Amino acid sequence: MARIVVIGAGLGAMAAAARLAVAGHRVTVYERGATYGGAVGRFTRDGFAFDTGPGLLHLPAVYRDLFVKTGREPLEECVTLTQVDPASRHVFAGGTRVDLPNASRAGTVAALDTALGAGAGERWGDFLVRAREAWDRTRRPLLEEPQPADPAPLAREPYPALKAGLLRRPTTTLAQVGARELRDPRLAALLDAYAWSYGFDPATAPASAAVLPYMEQTFGSWYVGGGLRALADAVYERCRKRRVEFVFDTPVAEVLEKDGRAVGVRLAGGETVEADHVVSGAPVPALHRDHVVEWGHGDDRPRHQVTGTGRVTVCLALRGRREAEAVHRTVVHAAGERPTVTVLRPDDPALRPDAGHESVTVTATVGTSPERDAAGWEAVADRMVEAAGHAVPGLRERLLWRHVRTPEDVRRDTGVAEVPGPALAGAGGRLLPAGNRSALPGLWFAGGWSHPGGGLAHAGMSGALVAGFIVEGADFRGSR
């Protein structure tokens, strides 16, 4: 039985902890904050509750597998999962609207043809065929297997080039895919929105980001009853049942090394804790600058992902009942200085004081420049609320109060303002996160800052990969 220290209580770190505990190891989690969940946060006030991180779950099979492998109760006995239908409503500049069904290619094609004109659905469908090719080329190395020792092949673009006569025009960014292949600014905006929702600027994101809409539209979007925080609750309780120990309000200051190996951690209070393995869910490189560098720096150490973007979340407490025709998720596309925003309106009694009120969450991806002061962030929130008015009738008249969470709040809580995105191939490798195996033997990376990257499903996969390495050894090759 090995002694294992886990740094941080995010979903990926807890997924690793539960699997390691089931394998017979003694696991202790040290969390700098007062609670678990990491980015899957919760804000409550006056009977209203809001998810401050992800609002929907994609690829729930990741957590089904976690619960099957760590106990008798399956995921659906611990949380309530509901497919969101329509998956999303899109409001484009100019007022055109379209509702896209959940996990229905034919339904999506038909909806786009009806809203945007004949041929729009076919162009989107043809794009998804190419996106599937990129997905098939990268699914295993980017999601199911450990990051290869030489990730250089993943730095090459897997999205198929568009044929033009006898020549192939290089397509290097997602924005170019939209302009060249979709040939409709509204379809291009639809594509862009998927990149923004995962923290990527479509103007710089590689064409391989086409896998993001493919993944959502193929495998569907799910809501967890009580909000995504309920999933964090369930994973935490599973860890506790497997006798994982949690120590909150206890930052880890340093990973200890001896004879070229991690041998424990030093806590911020000065206490040292010995360990046979250290699993870190802390942001990379916040705690590990000696072991990772940015891609392209000409160093032989492991690399880490840099997106340069963060998220603003605005929690809106509204008076009045949610209208019957409201949908769970509305994407209001950018217009002028207004960013693209996602408006979440879950019809969930657990998130509101009574049926005469509603909790609404509005999110947008923005740059993480520290130059904005409090007034600057409030101005961003003003524009986001203005956009949300296109999704929520009478929003301003219904608004009781709002709460704004900015990238600077994330920096204060985690040490970095960015929100990590899922691993993407191409772009010279700059959107590949750190590998799960660090350059220091005995130190492992789990969570959104490590392979296969950010997002609930990806974080859960990282926990499974780290546990596989520790339990099965160097020959571990991922899920089969």
Side-chain angles (χ1 to χ4, degrees), residues 162-185:
L162 182 66
K163 291 183 179 179
L166 297 177
L167 302 176
R168 286 177 178 265
R169 294 188 294 174
T171 302
T172 60
T173 70
L174 195 68
Q176 288 176 331
V177 172
R180 294 176 179 178
E181 302 179 25
L182 299 178
R183 304 190 306 279
D184 182 313

mmCIF file of all heavy atoms in Angstrom, residues 162-185:
data_model
loop_
_atom_site.group_PDB
_atom_site.id
_atom_site.type_symbol
_atom_site.label_atom_id
_atom_site.label_comp_id
_atom_site.label_asym_id
_atom_site.label_seq_id
_atom_site.Cartn_x
_atom_site.Cartn_y
_atom_site.Cartn_z
ATOM 1 N N LEU A 162 -9.286 21.377 -47.426
ATOM 2 C CA LEU A 162 -10.379 21.488 -48.381
ATOM 3 C C LEU A 162 -9.811 21.396 -49.787
ATOM 4 O O LEU A 162 -8.892 22.118 -50.166
ATOM 5 C CB LEU A 162 -11.107 22.821 -48.200
ATOM 6 C CG LEU A 162 -12.316 23.059 -49.098
ATOM 7 C CD1 LEU A 162 -13.423 22.070 -48.755
ATOM 8 C CD2 LEU A 162 -12.822 24.483 -48.925
ATOM 9 N N LYS A 163 -10.376 20.517 -50.601
ATOM 10 C CA LYS A 163 -9.905 20.368 -51.968
ATOM 11 C C LYS A 163 -10.370 21.552 -52.811
ATOM 12 O O LYS A 163 -11.514 21.983 -52.715
ATOM 13 C CB LYS A 163 -10.425 19.069 -52.578
ATOM 14 C CG LYS A 163 -9.810 17.815 -51.976
ATOM 15 C CD LYS A 163 -10.312 16.569 -52.664
ATOM 16 C CE LYS A 163 -9.667 15.326 -52.064
ATOM 17 N NZ LYS A 163 -10.157 14.090 -52.705
ATOM 18 N N ALA A 164 -9.483 22.051 -53.656
ATOM 19 C CA ALA A 164 -9.820 23.138 -54.571
ATOM 20 C C ALA A 164 -9.167 22.814 -55.907
ATOM 21 O O ALA A 164 -7.996 23.098 -56.134
ATOM 22 C CB ALA A 164 -9.327 24.482 -54.045
ATOM 23 N N GLY A 165 -9.938 22.154 -56.781
ATOM 24 C CA GLY A 165 -9.372 21.704 -58.035
ATOM 25 C C GLY A 165 -8.318 20.650 -57.758
ATOM 26 O O GLY A 165 -8.545 19.687 -57.045
ATOM 27 N N LEU A 166 -7.132 20.829 -58.345
ATOM 28 C CA LEU A 166 -6.054 19.876 -58.133
ATOM 29 C C LEU A 166 -5.186 20.244 -56.941
ATOM 30 O O LEU A 166 -4.231 19.554 -56.626
ATOM 31 C CB LEU A 166 -5.179 19.798 -59.394
ATOM 32 C CG LEU A 166 -5.890 19.288 -60.648
ATOM 33 C CD1 LEU A 166 -4.940 19.326 -61.835
ATOM 34 C CD2 LEU A 166 -6.415 17.871 -60.438
ATOM 35 N N LEU A 167 -5.528 21.362 -56.308
ATOM 36 C CA LEU A 167 -4.713 21.857 -55.207
ATOM 37 C C LEU A 167 -5.464 21.729 -53.894
ATOM 38 O O LEU A 167 -6.683 21.613 -53.850
ATOM 39 C CB LEU A 167 -4.331 23.328 -55.452
ATOM 40 C CG LEU A 167 -3.565 23.621 -56.743
ATOM 41 C CD1 LEU A 167 -3.367 25.122 -56.878
ATOM 42 C CD2 LEU A 167 -2.210 22.901 -56.746
ATOM 43 N N ARG A 168 -4.725 21.782 -52.825
ATOM 44 C CA ARG A 168 -5.336 21.832 -51.493
ATOM 45 C C ARG A 168 -4.926 23.135 -50.836
ATOM 46 O O ARG A 168 -3.740 23.439 -50.745
ATOM 47 C CB ARG A 168 -4.885 20.650 -50.618
ATOM 48 C CG ARG A 168 -5.510 19.321 -51.008
ATOM 49 C CD ARG A 168 -4.934 18.217 -50.135
ATOM 50 N NE ARG A 168 -5.544 16.938 -50.440
ATOM 51 C CZ ARG A 168 -6.578 16.431 -49.784
ATOM 52 N NH1 ARG A 168 -7.122 17.122 -48.805
ATOM 53 N NH2 ARG A 168 -7.071 15.248 -50.099
ATOM 54 N N ARG A 169 -5.906 23.900 -50.406
ATOM 55 C CA ARG A 169 -5.601 25.142 -49.712
ATOM 56 C C ARG A 169 -5.389 24.850 -48.235
ATOM 57 O O ARG A 169 -6.230 24.216 -47.608
ATOM 58 C CB ARG A 169 -6.751 26.142 -49.885
ATOM 59 C CG ARG A 169 -6.937 26.606 -51.314
ATOM 60 C CD ARG A 169 -7.945 27.733 -51.374
ATOM 61 N NE ARG A 169 -9.282 27.287 -50.990
ATOM 62 C CZ ARG A 169 -10.319 28.116 -50.845
ATOM 63 N NH1 ARG A 169 -10.157 29.409 -51.007
ATOM 64 N NH2 ARG A 169 -11.503 27.651 -50.526
ATOM 65 N N PRO A 170 -4.285 25.277 -47.667
ATOM 66 C CA PRO A 170 -4.072 25.009 -46.238
ATOM 67 C C PRO A 170 -5.096 25.730 -45.377
ATOM 68 O O PRO A 170 -5.415 26.893 -45.599
ATOM 69 C CB PRO A 170 -2.657 25.543 -45.988
ATOM 70 C CG PRO A 170 -2.436 26.564 -47.060
ATOM 71 C CD PRO A 170 -3.179 26.062 -48.266
ATOM 72 N N THR A 171 -5.654 25.003 -44.435
ATOM 73 C CA THR A 171 -6.614 25.573 -43.491
ATOM 74 C C THR A 171 -5.985 25.442 -42.111
ATOM 75 O O THR A 171 -5.865 24.343 -41.582
ATOM 76 C CB THR A 171 -7.952 24.817 -43.540
ATOM 77 O OG1 THR A 171 -8.461 24.861 -44.869
ATOM 78 C CG2 THR A 171 -8.956 25.441 -42.590
ATOM 79 N N THR A 172 -5.568 26.549 -41.529
ATOM 80 C CA THR A 172 -4.798 26.472 -40.292
ATOM 81 C C THR A 172 -5.579 26.891 -39.060
ATOM 82 O O THR A 172 -5.219 26.523 -37.954
ATOM 83 C CB THR A 172 -3.534 27.355 -40.395
ATOM 84 O OG1 THR A 172 -3.938 28.710 -40.632
ATOM 85 C CG2 THR A 172 -2.644 26.884 -41.535
ATOM 86 N N THR A 173 -6.648 27.676 -39.201
ATOM 87 C CA THR A 173 -7.406 28.126 -38.034
ATOM 88 C C THR A 173 -8.885 27.776 -38.205
ATOM 89 O O THR A 173 -9.382 27.588 -39.322
ATOM 90 C CB THR A 173 -7.289 29.642 -37.829
ATOM 91 O OG1 THR A 173 -7.995 30.324 -38.876
ATOM 92 C CG2 THR A 173 -5.835 30.083 -37.800
ATOM 93 N N LEU A 174 -9.574 27.728 -37.086
ATOM 94 C CA LEU A 174 -11.004 27.430 -37.127
ATOM 95 C C LEU A 174 -11.768 28.537 -37.844
ATOM 96 O O LEU A 174 -12.745 28.262 -38.551
ATOM 97 C CB LEU A 174 -11.535 27.256 -35.704
ATOM 98 C CG LEU A 174 -12.912 26.598 -35.611
ATOM 99 C CD1 LEU A 174 -12.837 25.140 -36.041
ATOM 100 C CD2 LEU A 174 -13.471 26.705 -34.193
ATOM 101 N N ALA A 175 -11.344 29.788 -37.678
ATOM 102 C CA ALA A 175 -12.004 30.887 -38.371
ATOM 103 C C ALA A 175 -11.915 30.711 -39.882
ATOM 104 O O ALA A 175 -12.874 31.019 -40.617
ATOM 105 C CB ALA A 175 -11.397 32.224 -37.953
ATOM 106 N N GLN A 176 -10.791 30.197 -40.388
ATOM 107 C CA GLN A 176 -10.661 29.944 -41.815
ATOM 108 C C GLN A 176 -11.599 28.835 -42.266
ATOM 109 O O GLN A 176 -12.155 28.883 -43.368
ATOM 110 C CB GLN A 176 -9.217 29.574 -42.150
ATOM 111 C CG GLN A 176 -8.248 30.741 -42.074
ATOM 112 C CD GLN A 176 -6.817 30.311 -42.324
ATOM 113 O OE1 GLN A 176 -6.453 29.167 -42.033
ATOM 114 N NE2 GLN A 176 -6.012 31.219 -42.848
ATOM 115 N N VAL A 177 -11.803 27.836 -41.414
ATOM 116 C CA VAL A 177 -12.767 26.783 -41.741
ATOM 117 C C VAL A 177 -14.147 27.390 -41.952
ATOM 118 O O VAL A 177 -14.847 27.081 -42.931
ATOM 119 C CB VAL A 177 -12.813 25.719 -40.627
ATOM 120 C CG1 VAL A 177 -13.948 24.737 -40.862
ATOM 121 C CG2 VAL A 177 -11.486 24.970 -40.545
ATOM 122 N N GLY A 178 -14.555 28.257 -41.034
ATOM 123 C CA GLY A 178 -15.868 28.878 -41.150
ATOM 124 C C GLY A 178 -16.014 29.715 -42.403
ATOM 125 O O GLY A 178 -17.024 29.643 -43.111
ATOM 126 N N ALA A 179 -14.995 30.514 -42.708
ATOM 127 C CA ALA A 179 -15.075 31.410 -43.862
ATOM 128 C C ALA A 179 -15.043 30.645 -45.177
ATOM 129 O O ALA A 179 -15.798 30.955 -46.108
ATOM 130 C CB ALA A 179 -13.939 32.433 -43.802
ATOM 131 N N ARG A 180 -14.179 29.631 -45.284
ATOM 132 C CA ARG A 180 -13.974 28.942 -46.556
ATOM 133 C C ARG A 180 -14.988 27.845 -46.816
ATOM 134 O O ARG A 180 -15.375 27.593 -47.957
ATOM 135 C CB ARG A 180 -12.566 28.343 -46.602
ATOM 136 C CG ARG A 180 -11.455 29.381 -46.609
ATOM 137 C CD ARG A 180 -10.095 28.702 -46.547
ATOM 138 N NE ARG A 180 -9.006 29.687 -46.588
ATOM 139 C CZ ARG A 180 -7.723 29.376 -46.504
ATOM 140 N NH1 ARG A 180 -7.373 28.104 -46.369
ATOM 141 N NH2 ARG A 180 -6.804 30.313 -46.557
ATOM 142 N N GLU A 181 -15.440 27.168 -45.755
ATOM 143 C CA GLU A 181 -16.243 25.976 -45.957
ATOM 144 C C GLU A 181 -17.719 26.170 -45.648
ATOM 145 O O GLU A 181 -18.561 25.508 -46.254
ATOM 146 C CB GLU A 181 -15.672 24.830 -45.120
ATOM 147 C CG GLU A 181 -14.217 24.525 -45.450
ATOM 148 C CD GLU A 181 -13.636 23.409 -44.598
ATOM 149 O OE1 GLU A 181 -14.417 22.571 -44.115
ATOM 150 O OE2 GLU A 181 -12.407 23.379 -44.421
ATOM 151 N N LEU A 182 -18.045 27.051 -44.740
ATOM 152 C CA LEU A 182 -19.452 27.237 -44.363
ATOM 153 C C LEU A 182 -20.123 28.342 -45.167
ATOM 154 O O LEU A 182 -21.338 28.308 -45.382
ATOM 155 C CB LEU A 182 -19.549 27.507 -42.861
ATOM 156 C CG LEU A 182 -19.012 26.369 -41.980
ATOM 157 C CD1 LEU A 182 -19.103 26.737 -40.505
ATOM 158 C CD2 LEU A 182 -19.777 25.067 -42.249
ATOM 159 N N ARG A 183 -19.361 29.366 -45.550
ATOM 160 C CA ARG A 183 -19.804 30.393 -46.501
ATOM 161 C C ARG A 183 -21.116 31.073 -46.094
ATOM 162 O O ARG A 183 -21.945 31.413 -46.928
ATOM 163 C CB ARG A 183 -19.943 29.797 -47.912
ATOM 164 C CG ARG A 183 -18.665 29.147 -48.411
ATOM 165 C CD ARG A 183 -18.742 28.779 -49.873
ATOM 166 N NE ARG A 183 -19.887 27.961 -50.230
ATOM 167 C CZ ARG A 183 -19.959 26.655 -50.066
ATOM 168 N NH1 ARG A 183 -18.933 25.998 -49.530
ATOM 169 N NH2 ARG A 183 -21.020 25.986 -50.444
ATOM 170 N N ASP A 184 -21.289 31.244 -44.825
ATOM 171 C CA ASP A 184 -22.445 31.985 -44.294
ATOM 172 C C ASP A 184 -21.995 32.538 -42.947
ATOM 173 O O ASP A 184 -21.558 31.770 -42.088
ATOM 174 C CB ASP A 184 -23.659 31.063 -44.123
ATOM 175 C CG ASP A 184 -24.903 31.803 -43.624
ATOM 176 O OD1 ASP A 184 -24.798 32.594 -42.664
ATOM 177 O OD2 ASP A 184 -25.993 31.566 -44.178
ATOM 178 N N PRO A 185 -22.054 33.862 -42.742
ATOM 179 C CA PRO A 185 -21.545 34.416 -41.481
ATOM 180 C C PRO A 185 -22.237 33.849 -40.255
ATOM 181 O O PRO A 185 -21.640 33.781 -39.174
ATOM 182 C CB PRO A 185 -21.779 35.923 -41.631
ATOM 183 C CG PRO A 185 -22.776 36.068 -42.732
ATOM 184 C CD PRO A 185 -22.562 34.903 -43.645
#
